[in-house]
Amino acid sequence: MQKLNFKNGDVVSGAILIALGTYIIIQASIWPYYEVNGPGPGFFPLWYGILMVLLSVGLIISAARKPKEDNADTIFTMGTWRALTVWFGLVVCLVAMAWLGFNIAFTLFTVFLVSYVLGRPWMTGIITGIASSAAFYVLFAVVLGVQLPTSPWGF
Amino acid sequence: MKRRDLIVGAVALAASAAVAPAFAQEWKPTQPLELVVHGGPGSGNDVMARQLTTIIEQEKLSPVRVQVSNRVGGGSTTAAAYMASKKGDPNTIAVFTIVWVTDPLTQEAATNGLNTLTPITRLIEEPALIVVKADAPYKTLKDFVDAAKSKSGQLKQSGGSITSRDNILRQLIMKQTGANWVFVPFPGGGERIAAILGGHTDIMITDPSEAGEQVRAGKLKVLAQVGKERLDTFKDIPTLKEAGFDFQDIPQTRGIVGPPGMPPEAVKYYETFFEKLRQSAGWKKFLADNQLLGVNEKSEASKKFLITYEDMLRVVLKDAGAKVVR
Amino acid sequence: MDIANGMLHGFYVALQPMNLWWCFFGCFLGTVVGILPGLGPAATISLLLPLTFKMDAAGGIIMMAGIYYGAKYGGSTTSILLNIPGESSSVATCIDGYQMAKKGRAGAALGIAAIASFIAGTVGVVLLTLMAPPIAAFALSFSSPEYFALMVLGLALVVLLAGTSLVKGLLALLVGLWLTAIGVDIFSAQARFIFGQPTLLGGIDFTIVAIGVFAMGEVLSSLDAGEETKMLPVPKGLRNLLPTWQDMKDCRFAFLNGSIVGFIIGVLPGAGGTIASFISYGLEKAVSKHPEKFGTGVIEGVAAPEGANNADTGGALIPLLTLGIPGGSSTAILLSALIIWGVHPGPLMMTESPDVFWGLVASMYIGNIMLLVLNLPMVPVFAQILRMPVYVLFPFIFGISIVGVYGTTGRMFDLGLLAGFGFLGYMMGKLKFPTAPLILGFVLGDSMERALRQSMMMYGGDFTAMFHRPISAVMLGLAGIVLVMPLISYFNRLRVKAITEGA
């Protein structure tokens, strides 16, 4: 498998943006471009959609023309997987929040982040988790009266 | 172990609280009421709801606390969907406005129409003023309409969204007279007034609380007022009907709605509750401060009103060029 | 009542012990909600509104306004320390502020933010005192073509924010333009790009995009880079935690720039603090002797936007108090509060309610001093936050982002969006796309589209009208210069290169 480096990164992001630009153009062309008294809802998106596609093509071309030694850095490293693991954990935590409420879901996420990802002792993770969600709860929900995500059972 | 006991206990408690009152003959709330608004904290509706709860508290109208709950998003759609999800719940009510009708009419994604919920009462009709800049050459609304006829499409009105009340009125007047002028939408009330004060637009239809100060200071003048009768502060200004524009108006209105399938005894409770509110001094002051007209309409009448209202709006919105989906 | 008498009377009102207390209370509360994302000044004022019905109008408005401008002081704190913009107007502060914190200069950044806020905030109030009526007339002369030109000028700044690759900066800007179009178009009631989600009908809240792309993206990037092993440096000793004399000298122009730009843009009902802070940042970079250092943690890059953001308050109060026109959500709610107290903001307010008008203006001088005194001593304390070990700091940032977003909108759906924008911010960093242009596009795009369509409607579809109006023509010209500048310098470099190679 070829390593993903900056040259490829530009190609990939350029391709994604071409897709997005095309989507914008297609959507915009459904809506009226010009109405009785002035530009319609399709006017502005059509133009920036076109511009997006053109610039993305430019990005890909200039990436292809770059000399080889410019792109020695690889994009995907061990750290990337770690960042993505945390991100995935965050998504799970946010989904869980609808069922477990802020306090429990956030405590679990913190334990995962501190002990599993950052490799601290489990005790540290558990203490940090409980302490931080308690602190958030007291400061925001109790003192300031800001709403926090709650479970259907009211905690 | 302890935690599990707690959870079980909490579930049981919540369940009993939700079920128990539904069977009572004469219903009374036993837990805090949730008053849902579709605007965020600080928006016009939120401010009104918070004033309502203050009046309720001051006059000790409710045996339980009334809490404002902001369900923001997609105009009224998030709030309406929230109400739909509270099916049968007697402890949740919401403040509705005209957007609760226009959103489901124009948006495919807004599926919870006001009539799928339980309208409880209509509280307010909002009068409006038709204003121009003080040094404008028009003395009456007819002058303006004539000018708009001779300069078709050149005069401009500053307003809100095209589904808003000001555009609906413009459509009605244009339809009746055959005149034509442009509607320029501005999202903020401030920008609208600034546009007319700066002479960038020619006319504006707005509520008295927004334009009243400008009129008093002699920066704007009122051509006509929209409403069944003249307002106390604008005694010498003709209503639309008196000015010769006789058509069925579609008034801006606000009221209270409950979730679908709200128990009849709860509806009854709220009808009496808001009746008491109408009698209170605090409510009367609120209406006077904001130059609003009180409406006294119970659940059945509100329902009927909203059905004809929706039918009329559907026609006008189509004329206004909005895509009507239902 | 002339200005001198008015001010005397105003200070008499504002210095009443009770009103001094309300002023302090408002400023203090404002600082707190400014620091904490998720509880903006508009929401705070609205929540407190029922409690103030019994207060007298002068005391009430003094306190409420204190919350409003106090929040702007506090807004910079999380931007600098954690890259979390608490309010939309402190996004521009993140750019250089957070970089300074990374270099161990968090204290200096926080300190200069407080000082710039004080200077510009005070200048704003002075201008409010002296020039309210003529400035209000100027605000009214601004129409849609001028707003369009202003937004174009703002967007042209992308050239200055783009960093190494202009193409990538422009692409990020376009993505921002697209994101801001999501929701119902008020011109046609057409729902755009909502993917069948009713929640998206109202568009995406700015806080979600900013916190996701900036704060979340940054944490994920530092996890990637393995930076958790080394803590951020925080120098010891109070002296090293405050701005030096040299810093103050470096910021001389920034103070002036922030004050003037912030005030003028603040006056316009259709603009606001966010635009003011970005334009002032751009201007600072454009005239700087070392523009290439911007974005790596230069102190002027903090002072200018923070100043603009605070001078904006003085400006925004002018249309509110002299015309009864609110420019944003915070001023709109101040307007309803005044009406509840029986005061009618508008052309007659100065003569009918001099207590309230002059009392408020005078209290703002006092409030700004209070805020400086409140905020400067807190700088060394806040700087210590960065001493927290990462395993405390990271959960803290995640937690505050979640609470901030949920507190603003109260929707689970938005937490999903937050995670999405976190991923976007992280990937953009990885692929070397600058994030600031995306935010710029998001903030300005909607207003620009609206202004463009309004102008075309007003002038019967005639686009050239924009160039016939002097103010908009000048601004469009400036935007043109900003856009062409990098091309000129590019050709210059080519020429220099050719000459040196030829020699």
Side-chain angles (χ1 to χ4, degrees):
Chain A
M1 203 180 83
Q2 202 193 352
K3 271 188 183 168
L4 189 58
N5 54 31
F6 276 112
K7 182 172 162 181
N8 294 335
D10 282 0
V11 174
V12 172
S13 49
I16 292 172
L17 287 168
I18 288 178
L20 177 63
T22 315
Y23 165 75
I24 293 173
I25 294 171
I26 292 171
Q27 284 283 304
S29 55
I30 299 171
W31 305 318
Y33 176 76
Y34 212 88
E35 286 177 326
V36 198
N37 293 318
F43 181 87
F44 204 53
L46 186 69
W47 284 107
Y48 60 71
I50 291 173
L51 202 56
M52 190 182 281
V53 172
L54 291 179
L55 284 170
S56 312
V57 172
L59 183 68
I60 293 176
I61 292 173
S62 73
R65 278 176 40 195
K66 251 183 215 163
K68 258 251 158 353
E69 54 274 21
D70 263 14
N71 40 53
D73 288 345
T74 49
I75 292 181
F76 279 95
T77 58
M78 276 308 287
T80 313
W81 294 116
R82 192 161 58 165
L84 290 178
T85 312
V86 172
W87 184 75
F88 189 71
L90 176 73
V91 172
V92 172
C93 157
L94 294 177
V95 171
M97 224 170 250
W99 300 102
L100 299 174
F102 175 80
N103 293 312
I104 296 176
F106 187 66
T107 308
L108 293 177
F109 172 70
T110 308
V111 174
F112 159 79
L113 175 67
V114 172
S115 300
Y116 179 73
V117 180
L118 298 177
R120 308 289 143 146
W122 286 99
M123 234 14 234
T124 318
I126 292 168
I127 292 170
T128 322
I130 293 176
S132 55
S133 56
F136 277 116
Y137 183 77
V138 170
L139 179 61
F140 283 93
V142 179
V143 178
L144 294 168
V146 172
Q147 50 187 353
L148 294 180
T150 42
S151 64
W153 302 288
F155 53 86
Chain B
M1 271 304 134
K2 262 192 176 154
R3 173 169 273 175
R4 183 184 292 167
D5 290 348
L6 260 175
I7 296 173
V8 173
V11 173
L13 206 78
S16 64
V19 177
F23 297 108
Q25 261 301 316
E26 198 167 300
W27 184 82
K28 246 192 177 110
T30 48
Q31 63 188 86
L33 298 180
E34 196 179 344
L35 180 61
V36 175
V37 288
H38 68 262
S43 66
N45 274 296
D46 174 74
V47 174
M48 176 193 146
R50 284 178 204 279
Q51 279 177 274
L52 257 180
T53 57
T54 314
I55 297 168
I56 292 168
E57 228 160 79
Q58 279 171 351
E59 314 251 348
K60 299 193 177 51
L61 295 174
S62 171
V64 291
R65 220 151 41 95
V66 184
Q67 253 170 338
V68 175
S69 147
N70 303 91
R71 300 285 156 180
V72 190
S76 66
T77 43
T78 302
Y82 179 75
M83 290 309 282
S85 77
K86 287 273 171 173
K87 197 170 173 132
D89 178 11
N91 294 303
T92 310
I93 53 176
V95 177
F96 72 80
T97 69
I98 191 172
V99 293
W100 288 59
V101 183
T102 51
D103 279 344
L105 278 179
T106 52
Q107 298 307 330
E108 201 80 65
T111 48
N112 299 293
L114 201 44
N115 279 312
T116 64
L117 311 175
T118 313
I120 293 172
T121 181
R122 257 186 347 116
L123 288 173
I124 294 171
E125 266 183 25
E126 298 176 29
L129 301 177
I130 302 182
V131 297
V132 294
K133 222 177 157 205
D135 54 12
Y138 324 109
K139 285 207 171 63
T140 63
L141 185 56
K142 197 175 168 304
D143 291 348
F144 177 83
V145 168
D146 289 342
K149 271 186 200 161
S150 62
K151 292 191 275 186
S152 184
Q154 285 180 39
L155 295 180
K156 289 152 288 199
Q157 173 184 351
S158 51
S161 154
I162 71 153
T163 58
S164 67
R165 201 274 181 90
D166 25 356
N167 187 36
I168 288 165
L169 267 169
R170 161 179 167 262
Q171 288 295 332
L172 291 170
I173 300 174
M174 291 201 325
K175 202 171 178 183
Q176 203 207 8
T177 58
N180 179 33
W181 67 90
V182 181
F183 183 79
V184 187
F186 292 85
E191 293 167 64
R192 264 166 253 167
I193 290 214
I196 192 164
L197 286 176
H200 311 296
T201 55
D202 305 290
I203 195 168
M204 179 164 133
I205 302 176
T206 178
D207 38 297
S209 61
E210 204 170 29
E213 266 318 284
Q214 313 293 341
V215 176
R216 214 159 58 88
K219 308 257 173 193
L220 293 179
K221 71 181 170 197
V222 189
L223 297 183
Q225 51 182 317
V226 190
K228 289 198 183 76
E229 55 215 64
R230 294 185 182 192
L231 288 169
D232 283 344
T233 27
F234 299 98
K235 275 259 181 277
D236 43 351
I237 307 289
T239 63
L240 267 183
K241 197 171 172 180
E242 290 163 348
F245 295 84
D246 195 8
F247 50 78
Q248 169 126 43
D249 181 27
I250 302 185
Q252 178 90 298
T253 188
R254 292 189 208 186
I256 303 291
V257 64
M262 187 183 228
E265 49 292 351
V267 175
K268 192 147 205 117
Y269 168 81
Y270 287 114
E271 281 178 338
T272 358
F273 175 81
F274 284 103
E275 198 44 52
K276 272 189 279 176
L277 177 82
R278 281 191 190 94
Q279 303 303 325
S280 68
W283 176 250
K284 286 174 183 155
K285 180 178 180 299
F286 169 77
L287 291 180
D289 275 355
N290 295 284
Q291 314 209 39
L292 301 167
L293 298 172
V295 181
N296 190 350
E297 214 173 65
K298 295 199 168 165
S299 180
E300 276 312 308
S302 304
K303 226 175 268 175
K304 256 187 228 145
F305 172 86
L306 288 170
I307 290 171
T308 38
Y309 190 68
E310 194 181 82
D311 290 339
M312 281 157 58
L313 265 179
R314 188 174 289 123
V315 178
V316 177
L317 286 174
K318 253 185 213 153
D319 287 346
K323 204 172 67 188
V324 176
V325 293
R326 322 196 144 74
Chain C
M1 205 182 293
D2 62 35
I3 292 170
N5 274 327
M7 283 315 293
L8 269 177
H9 183 66
F11 275 108
Y12 171 75
V13 174
L15 287 170
Q16 303 279 326
M18 221 35 217
N19 288 344
L20 268 180
W21 158 249
W22 289 127
C23 181
F24 172 77
F25 183 70
C27 289
F28 176 75
L29 205 63
T31 309
V32 173
V33 303
I35 292 171
L36 301 169
L39 198 66
T44 311
I45 298 175
S46 155
L47 297 176
L48 283 178
L49 202 52
L51 303 177
T52 59
F53 287 163
K54 292 203 181 96
M55 290 168 67
D56 71 304
I61 191 71
I62 286 174
M63 180 185 91
M64 300 251 166
I67 298 175
Y68 172 43
Y69 57 80
K72 302 221 164 169
Y73 271 75
S76 59
T77 309
T78 46
S79 312
I80 291 169
L81 293 175
L82 308 171
N83 210 21
I84 301 179
E87 326 285 333
S88 60
S89 49
S90 39
V91 173
T93 312
C94 284
I95 304 171
D96 274 285
Y98 182 67
Q99 293 304 326
M100 283 183 73
K102 269 185 149 177
K103 287 183 180 167
R105 300 211 65 209
L110 289 169
I112 208 76
I115 293 166
S117 298
F118 170 72
I119 295 176
T122 308
V123 171
V125 186
V126 172
L127 294 173
L128 163 67
T129 316
L130 298 178
M131 315 177 28
I135 284 281
F138 160 78
L140 288 182
S141 71
F142 247 66
S143 178
S144 304
E146 284 78 22
Y147 280 112
F148 174 72
L150 179 67
M151 302 304 159
V152 172
L153 180 58
L155 286 177
L157 295 178
V158 67
V159 171
L160 298 165
L161 293 173
T164 47
S165 163
L166 186 56
V167 174
K168 285 183 172 177
L170 285 171
L171 279 167
L173 178 88
L174 292 176
V175 173
L177 289 183
W178 169 64
L179 288 170
T180 192
I182 291 174
V184 174
D185 166 39
I186 64 163
F187 289 76
S188 59
Q190 172 73 53
R192 297 191 290 186
F193 310 115
I194 62 160
F195 305 99
Q197 293 287 331
T199 358
L200 284 178
L201 282 172
I204 298 174
D205 196 273
F206 172 80
T207 336
I208 304 167
V209 183
I211 294 184
V213 169
F214 274 65
M216 294 261 171
E218 178 62 29
V219 177
L220 293 173
S221 298
S222 32
L223 276 163
D224 183 332
E227 272 170 20
E228 80 270 15
T229 44
K230 53 175 193 285
M231 277 196 264
L232 291 176
V234 179
K236 290 212 164 62
L238 196 61
R239 214 161 223 299
N240 299 320
L241 281 170
L242 288 172
T244 61
W245 195 238
Q246 185 57 40
D247 290 336
M248 297 289 284
K249 264 166 118 184
D250 288 344
C251 291
R252 268 177 312 187
F253 179 74
F255 293 143
L256 184 74
N257 158 15
S259 306
I260 305 293
V261 170
F263 179 78
I264 293 176
I265 294 179
V267 166
L268 307 172
T274 316
I275 299 170
S277 56
F278 268 111
I279 291 201
S280 147
Y281 181 85
L283 180 64
E284 193 63 35
K285 186 171 177 179
V287 301
S288 170
K289 287 197 196 83
H290 47 83
E292 72 288 347
K293 284 194 187 148
F294 275 70
T296 63
V298 288
I299 200 150
E300 307 96 283
V302 177
E306 264 313 298
N309 176 11
N310 281 275
D312 167 76
T313 347
L317 285 174
I318 289 183
L320 176 73
L321 297 176
T322 61
L323 301 169
I325 295 176
S329 54
S330 297
T331 38
I333 189 157
L334 287 179
L335 177 77
S336 19
L338 284 167
I339 292 172
I340 290 167
W341 291 312
V343 177
H344 299 281
L348 303 175
M349 182 180 172
M350 232 188 264
T351 44
E352 283 181 353
S353 313
D355 277 16
V356 181
F357 184 89
W358 293 110
L360 170 62
V361 173
S363 83
M364 290 178 70
Y365 286 95
I366 303 168
N368 270 300
I369 296 173
M370 282 182 179
L371 280 165
L372 186 69
V373 175
L374 253 171
N375 278 271
L376 266 188
M378 293 306 284
V379 166
V381 182
F382 280 127
Q384 304 305 320
I385 288 181
L386 297 179
R387 287 238 169 110
M388 288 200 290
V390 259
Y391 67 85
V392 179
L393 192 61
F394 283 1
F396 182 69
I397 296 175
F398 277 115
I400 215 158
S401 304
I402 293 171
V403 173
V405 166
Y406 193 81
T408 318
T409 66
R411 277 184 311 204
M412 284 295 184
F413 180 81
D414 289 341
L415 292 180
L417 284 178
L418 174 71
F421 283 113
F423 184 74
L424 178 70
Y426 167 61
M427 286 319 284
M428 284 176 78
K430 257 199 123 43
L431 297 166
K432 301 235 151 72
F433 277 84
T435 47
L438 181 130
I439 302 286
L440 190 71
F442 190 84
V443 174
L444 301 183
D446 198 27
S447 319
M448 170 164 137
E449 178 183 8
R450 263 195 327 253
L452 174 67
R453 289 165 76 178
Q454 283 161 356
S455 329
M456 306 257 296
M457 287 173 99
M458 284 182 182
Y459 295 97
D462 178 13
F463 188 76
T464 55
M466 317 251 184
F467 299 96
H468 295 156
R469 299 172 58 95
I471 302 179
S472 66
V474 167
M475 280 192 292
L476 287 173
L478 278 177
I481 295 173
V482 172
L483 284 174
V484 173
M485 243 168 24
L487 286 180
I488 295 175
S489 69
Y490 177 73
F491 286 120
N492 257 344
R493 249 179 293 146
L494 281 188
R495 212 183 57 202
V496 171
K497 210 171 154 195
I499 292 170
T500 42
E501 273 166 9

